[in-house]
Amino acid sequence: MLSIPIKQTIKSAWSVAWTHKLLWLLGLFITSGAFFLDYLIEDWTELTTFRNTVLVKLNVTLNDWRAFLVLFITFVLLSLILLIAIFAKTSLVAALGKLKSGDKLKIGELLKIGWQNFGKVVLFELIFGVINLILFALVVLFIPSGGLMALFVILLILYNVWLFLFRHYVYCYAVIEGKSAINSIVAGWKLYIANYIDLTVIKITEVGLWVVASFVLILSLILIALPFILLGVIGMLAVGQMALMVVTWLGYIVLGTAFLLIKGGIQVFFLSYLTNAYWKFK
């Protein structure tokens, strides 16, 4: 029998996300970082193509300073987006800690706490990321060998499953408890191991909730888009192509804004959901 009431945990997370909509703005910036990670994952799906592309790009870069400059600027911008996402998540976890203590949420104070903990959060994310990059590099390096590549693919998958199971609790210990990066990693893993059945069910439930959230997001966007589709058709018939173009661009702006805000709210819900589990077992 589970020690944590899943239904109550979900209800509590929903209450936090719905009541504190200002936090959706922080969730929005976490979403921007997720786009970056999704972009990388999509590029990594075809490893042989990726490996050959990298070799070609490096060769071009070494012989063309303009290509190197574009590559460097792209890397800096994407790194900045990822750092902003980490900072937003750190501030959001701080907000959840404040709510637990019964304190009022002040964005300025949350950003200050986020900044104070930013360094150690980046440090443990860097540790996790470097290990990921090393494993991925080994996968790419041993593509021709087949067997070794399969071994490193399995290790890469197992490593990321391991991170998936306890990573959020590392954030909680670092930001809410004020532990160092290394101590937070150790404490987060110990928390998971001590309550592995409940916390594994929490993570499995999280996957199911993401499916539901994705469906709700798509349905919401369709409902928002319908009036613009109708207006576009009417405008085109009554005025012409110009009206259709104006309505289309307006629709893109509204849909894009709605998508980011809803995704931000979803991020707040899931972080609250996982933090509730942390409070239960810490």
Side-chain angles (χ1 to χ4, degrees):
M1 185 174 178
L2 295 177
S3 302
I4 185 169
I6 299 293
K7 187 180 293 186
Q8 185 57 42
T9 304
I10 294 172
K11 285 183 178 179
S12 176
W14 169 257
S15 176
V16 168
W18 186 253
T19 305
H20 302 280
K21 295 183 182 66
L22 189 62
L23 297 179
W24 292 18
L25 295 175
L26 292 175
L28 183 153
F29 287 107
I30 298 174
T31 298
S32 68
F35 283 149
F36 172 46
L37 293 177
D38 288 343
Y39 169 79
L40 290 181
I41 291 170
E42 286 173 6
D43 275 357
W44 290 356
T45 52
E46 295 186 15
L47 296 178
T48 305
T49 303
F50 177 82
R51 180 171 178 263
N52 294 336
T53 301
V54 167
L55 293 175
V56 171
K57 290 288 185 184
L58 284 176
N59 184 53
V60 171
T61 298
L62 292 174
N63 292 285
D64 187 349
W65 67 269
R66 289 167 298 184
F68 174 78
L69 183 61
V70 170
L71 189 63
F72 176 75
I73 292 174
T74 302
F75 173 78
V76 170
L77 287 175
L78 292 177
S79 297
L80 183 60
I81 291 171
L82 191 56
L83 288 172
I84 290 172
I86 292 173
F87 176 69
K89 185 174 181 178
T90 304
S91 301
L92 189 46
V93 172
L96 296 172
K98 287 286 184 182
L99 287 174
K100 182 69 174 180
S101 303
D103 298 334
K104 290 185 177 180
L105 297 181
K106 298 178 181 178
I107 288 296
E109 187 178 351
L110 295 179
L111 295 178
K112 182 180 179 181
I113 297 172
W115 180 252
Q116 289 171 346
N117 292 280
F118 183 62
K120 58 185 174 184
V121 172
V122 169
L123 178 57
F124 70 66
E125 285 287 14
L126 191 61
I127 293 170
F128 293 151
V130 166
I131 295 173
N132 242 329
L133 284 174
I134 291 172
L135 288 172
F136 176 72
L138 290 171
V139 170
V140 175
L141 183 64
F142 288 102
I143 284 175
S145 67
L148 279 175
M149 186 201 76
L151 172 63
F152 287 119
V153 166
I154 292 171
L155 288 176
L156 184 62
I157 293 171
L158 290 176
Y159 173 70
N160 280 280
V161 169
W162 178 71
L163 285 183
F164 171 74
L165 290 172
F166 84 105
R167 190 181 207 144
H168 179 73
Y169 312 123
V170 180
Y171 269 87
C172 291
Y173 277 110
V175 179
I176 299 174
E177 301 295 328
K179 292 181 179 292
S180 67
I182 300 300
N183 288 338
S184 296
I185 294 173
V186 173
W189 178 240
K190 284 183 176 179
L191 180 74
Y192 174 75
I193 287 297
N195 308 279
Y196 70 93
I197 295 177
D198 289 271
L199 293 181
T200 299
V201 171
I202 284 288
K203 295 302 289 184
I204 292 172
T205 306
E206 181 192 5
V207 174
L209 289 172
W210 268 114
V211 174
V212 174
S214 299
F215 174 77
V216 171
L217 176 61
I218 293 169
L219 182 60
S220 300
L221 293 176
I222 290 173
L223 291 175
I224 294 170
L226 282 175
F228 291 99
I229 295 172
L230 292 173
L231 280 174
V233 173
I234 294 170
M236 184 178 67
L237 294 174
V239 181
Q241 286 290 115
M242 182 59 70
L244 177 61
M245 188 169 63
V246 170
V247 173
T248 299
W249 278 106
L250 183 61
Y252 282 146
I253 293 170
V254 172
L255 274 176
T257 303
F259 173 78
L260 290 174
L261 286 175
I262 295 171
K263 280 283 286 182
I266 290 172
Q267 289 287 352
V268 174
F269 167 78
F270 279 103
L271 286 182
S272 179
Y273 170 73
L274 293 175
T275 305
N276 284 341
Y278 162 78
W279 292 124
K280 171 68 177 177
F281 295 110
K282 83 176 185 71

